[in-house]
């Protein structure tokens, strides 16, 4: 159904009062489920959220600890704002599924689009307990969450919001919850008070806010930004302070990532078997496998895909982010699939390449084995030893890939500079709430316990490259695994259930024949 226009006719208003009285609707809703809000809770979705958890697998105590850690990173006299992701529409009034901004999600777990999370770190002159340094203890900070109030008329269309009471009870019990419309005024009042109370200290109020995160919210906060501009106060990025925390996964986060990886790996197994049958039957496209994969991940508890599936058969595997998924499946082709499920908000990211016939040709096997050797060597080298980083793993992968290409007869010993032509991407990236997680984090920093990352070497031989031997043109292979650095510094591979040895891959595909 479509929403009625704002200017309702007299007859419609009469019918609305008789048939869809929003207050009557709200009373019935309260009777049915007094604790329902816009996201799962332990009371309404016991199959997803356990008592004490705010989101699946993450307890309220962990969210509170994250906020305390975030507050401890902030300088005195600062206000940090965390914006939600903007709503996006595929057409006039048809929205894309909403996915919360990861920084805001990490700090409080609130899933609604119209909100703003604020951390107020007062200076020593206005009641804060200053330690004499630029950073205070976390109990000097106050947290505020601005939300949309409950609206019975809106609930008829979209379901209930948390509102102020629900957000205070389920999301931010240790802070203050206010109406989103009050945010500019409330923040100006806070900044004015901090500015007036600083006295002769050198501490000046500072604003941390990612102005490019949500344009609509940024426009609504224009009075706050103008206040800073008039006082020549620089607005800096809040994300730069929270992403270092997100980089190190807790045990609860690692457990959710393991669940996502298991569901994704098992979905790969089912999709591999389905692919050979679909190719042999004829008439099926790559889209069938994308649909099968998503079905299998949701069957295993994933709430959504971590990103759109790449299902690239034949020469299309040489396009790194091929997402058309509309080519016919052919038994003689390799199929490269890059896909992942999201479990409790945490992403898996796996790539496997397999022969749709169930058997690699000698040429396909040679290229595949070369990539597999690099994958296994880089995983073995990944460790939290104080020196290894994603950047150092990438340099290792370049050297090993060059050696493999020399053995294949594709490059000569002196042609290491040409490796990036056939292996153009990095060895991996950080992984977490985002599939390409914590983009502000340097890939040159040493790996530490709790860091999660991918290892994904590949080779892509364009079909029209005259510098390549004819035998390998059009072959594209990538093999990607997810790992977490453990407390002992060793890498734990999360994606072992997805087959990648040649014999295991062939066996998995042949199950469908």
């Amino acid at each position: 159904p479509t929403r009625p226009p704002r200017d309702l006719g007299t007859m419609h208003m009469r019918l609305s009062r008789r048939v869809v009285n929003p207050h009557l609707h709200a009373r019935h809703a309260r009777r049915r489920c007094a604790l329902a809000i816009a996201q799962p809770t332990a009371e309404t979705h016991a199959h997803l959220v356990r008592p004490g958890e705010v989101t699946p697998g993450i307890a309220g105590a962990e969210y509170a600890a994250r906020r305390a850690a975030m507050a401890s990173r902030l300088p005195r006299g600062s206000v940090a704002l965390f914006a939600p992701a903007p709503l996006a529409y595929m057409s006039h009034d048809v929205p894309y599924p909403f996915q919360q901004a990861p920084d805001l999600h990490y700090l409080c777990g609130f899933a609604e689009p119209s909100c703003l999370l604020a951390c107020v770190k007062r200076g020593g002159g206005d009641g804060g307990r200053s330690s004499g340094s630029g950073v205070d203890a976390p109990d000097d900070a106050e947290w505020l969450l601005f939300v949309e109030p409950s609206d019975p008329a809106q609930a008829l269309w979209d379901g209930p919001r948390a509102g102020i009471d629900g957000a205070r009870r389920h999301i931010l019990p240790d802070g203050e919850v206010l109406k989103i419309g009050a945010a500019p005024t409330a923040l100006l009042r806070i900044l004015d008070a901090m500015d007036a109370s600083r006295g002769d200290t050198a501490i000046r109020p500072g604003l941390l806010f990612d102005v490019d995160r949500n344009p609509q919210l940024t426009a609504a906060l224009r009075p706050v930004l103008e206040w800073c501009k008039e006082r020549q106060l620089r607005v800096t990025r809040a994300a730069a302070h929270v992403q270092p925390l997100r980089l190190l996964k807790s045990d609860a986060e690692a457990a959710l990532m393991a669940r996502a990886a298991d569901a994704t790996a098992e979905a790969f197994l089912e999709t591999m078997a389905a692919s050979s049958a679909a190719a042999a039957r004829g008439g099926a496209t790559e889209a069938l496998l994308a649909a099968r994969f998503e079905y299998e991940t949701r069957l295993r508890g994933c709430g959504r895909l971590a990103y759109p599936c790449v299902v690239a058969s034949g020469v299309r595997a040489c396009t790194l982010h091929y997402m058309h998924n509309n080519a016919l499946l052919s038994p003689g082709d390799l199929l490269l699939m890059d896909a992942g499920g999201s479990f409790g908000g945490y992403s898996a990211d796996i790539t496997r390449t397999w022969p749709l016939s169930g058997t690699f040709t000698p040429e396909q096997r040679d290229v595949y084995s070369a990539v597999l050797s690099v994958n296994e060597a880089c995983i073995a080298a990944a460790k939290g030893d104080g020196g290894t980083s994603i950047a150092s793993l990438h340099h290792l992968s370049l050297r090993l890939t060059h050696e493999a290409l020399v053995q294949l007869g594709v490059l000569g010993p002196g042609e290491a500079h040409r490796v990036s032509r056939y292996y153009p991407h990095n060895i991996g990236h950080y992984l977490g709430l985002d599939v390409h997680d914590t983009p502000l984090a340097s890939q040159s920093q040493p790996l530490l316990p709790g860091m999660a990352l991918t290892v994904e070497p590949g080779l892509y031989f364009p079909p029209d490259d005259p510098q390549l031997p004819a035998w390998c043109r059009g072959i594209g292979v990538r093999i990607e695994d997810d790992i977490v650095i453990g407390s002992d510094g060793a890498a734990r591979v999360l994606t072992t259930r997805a087959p990648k040895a040649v014999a295991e891959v062939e066996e998995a595909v042949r199950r469908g024949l």
Side-chain angles (χ1 to χ4, degrees):
T2 59
R3 298 173 191 263
R6 291 182 181 274
D7 185 19
L8 300 174
T10 304
M11 181 179 296
H12 181 80
M13 289 298 291
R14 286 200 302 268
L15 289 172
S16 294
R17 284 193 291 269
R18 292 174 56 197
V19 180
V20 191
N21 183 322
H23 301 289
L24 182 63
H25 172 80
R27 286 199 298 273
H28 286 307
R30 283 195 293 271
R31 287 191 199 125
R32 288 195 303 271
C33 188
L35 301 176
I37 65 172
Q39 64 192 80
T41 68
E43 291 91 344
T44 61
H45 293 71
H47 58 292
L48 297 177
V49 182
R50 292 174 295 187
E53 293 179 346
V54 174
T55 57
I58 305 294
E62 178 159 333
Y63 278 110
R66 293 174 181 179
R67 290 192 291 273
M70 176 66 209
S72 71
R73 297 179 61 88
L74 295 177
R76 287 183 287 128
S78 63
V79 177
L81 304 179
F82 301 93
L87 282 172
Y89 290 84
M90 61 182 75
S91 65
H92 164 61
D93 59 355
V94 180
Y96 286 103
F98 179 72
Q99 181 180 336
Q100 187 58 276
D103 288 345
L104 189 148
H105 177 107
Y106 178 82
L107 291 169
C108 69
F110 194 50
E112 293 184 27
S114 183
C115 66
L116 175 67
L117 181 66
C119 182
V120 179
K121 186 72 172 288
R122 300 185 186 276
D126 57 344
R129 291 174 293 282
S130 174
S131 63
S133 65
V135 175
D136 289 343
D139 59 357
D140 288 309
E142 303 168 35
W143 288 89
L144 299 90
L145 180 61
F146 298 92
V147 303
E148 285 283 1
S150 298
D151 180 352
Q154 167 272 335
L156 174 65
W157 291 89
D158 302 319
R161 296 186 184 123
I164 292 174
D165 292 340
R168 183 180 294 123
R169 174 172 180 176
H170 294 286
I171 306 298
L172 197 70
D174 55 350
E176 187 174 359
V177 181
L178 302 168
K179 294 180 181 180
I180 185 67
T185 303
L187 293 171
L188 284 173
R189 186 165 54 247
I190 290 168
L191 289 167
D192 278 332
M194 293 170 69
D195 194 32
S197 64
R198 66 187 178 94
D200 296 330
T201 69
I203 299 173
R204 301 184 67 201
L207 183 68
L208 296 88
F209 177 47
D210 296 280
V211 295
D212 56 348
R213 160 53 69 181
N214 188 316
Q216 185 176 358
L217 180 63
T218 298
L221 294 177
R222 177 181 252 179
V224 177
L225 298 174
E226 288 294 333
W227 188 95
C228 294
K229 184 177 180 181
E230 290 168 2
R231 289 156 181 78
Q232 298 182 330
L233 298 177
R234 195 160 59 98
V235 178
T236 57
R237 293 181 69 94
H241 293 266
V242 69
Q243 289 194 17
L245 300 175
R246 287 175 48 202
L247 193 58
L248 303 179
K249 306 300 185 288
S250 68
D251 290 344
E253 290 178 289
L256 289 171
M257 296 187 70
R259 292 286 299 275
D262 284 346
T264 298
E266 291 169 12
F268 261 92
L269 276 167
E270 297 302 320
T271 305
M272 292 167 84
S275 71
S276 57
R281 188 169 60 246
T285 68
E286 298 152 335
L288 173 69
L289 303 185
R292 179 61 180 263
F293 175 84
E294 181 171 3
Y295 165 76
E296 295 291 348
T297 56
R298 288 182 178 271
L299 190 65
R300 290 161 175 79
C302 290
R304 58 176 174 84
L305 293 176
Y307 54 95
C309 293
V310 173
V311 187
S313 61
V315 298
R316 287 157 290 277
C318 298
T319 300
L320 299 185
H321 286 168
Y322 170 85
M323 293 183 187
H324 298 298
N325 299 345
N326 57 11
L328 288 171
L329 302 175
S330 176
D333 285 340
L334 285 179
L335 185 128
L336 184 156
M337 186 167 185
D338 185 339
S342 173
F343 192 98
Y346 286 83
S347 301
D349 185 1
I350 298 178
T351 305
R352 291 294 186 262
T353 308
W354 65 86
L356 288 169
S357 66
T359 304
F360 287 99
T361 67
E363 296 81 8
Q364 293 169 347
R365 181 191 293 256
D366 286 346
V367 177
Y368 184 91
S369 297
V371 175
L372 180 60
S373 67
V374 178
N375 168 276
E376 292 175 335
C378 288
I379 289 175
K383 51 179 68 83
D385 58 2
T388 304
S389 64
I390 291 181
S392 70
L393 291 176
H394 182 60
H395 289 307
L396 173 63
S397 72
L398 289 172
R399 177 173 63 80
L400 296 175
T401 300
H402 178 232
E403 293 173 359
L405 289 172
V406 171
Q407 288 184 341
L408 290 172
V410 174
L411 294 182
E415 295 184 298
H417 61 284
R418 291 184 57 204
V419 170
S420 61
R421 173 73 180 90
Y422 306 115
Y423 170 38
H425 56 76
N426 207 343
I427 186 60
H429 52 80
Y430 298 118
L431 188 66
L433 287 170
D434 267 345
V435 64
H436 293 162
D437 205 44
T438 56
L440 299 181
S442 170
Q443 295 194 343
S444 297
Q445 63 182 305
L447 297 178
L448 296 172
M451 288 185 177
L453 58 145
T454 64
V455 177
E456 49 179 307
L459 282 173
Y460 315 90
F461 298 133
D464 54 356
D465 186 339
Q467 294 183 293
L468 285 171
W471 68 265
C472 67
R473 293 178 193 172
I475 294 177
V477 173
R478 182 164 64 252
I479 304 171
E480 178 180 19
D481 287 292
D482 304 343
I483 65 174
V484 174
I485 305 301
S487 58
D488 60 353
R492 172 191 172 198
V493 183
L494 301 180
T495 46
T496 54
R497 293 190 183 185
K500 63 180 180 180
V502 168
E504 293 173 350
V505 168
E506 291 181 334
E507 180 182 359
V509 178
R510 287 176 190 154
R511 284 195 307 116
L513 295 175

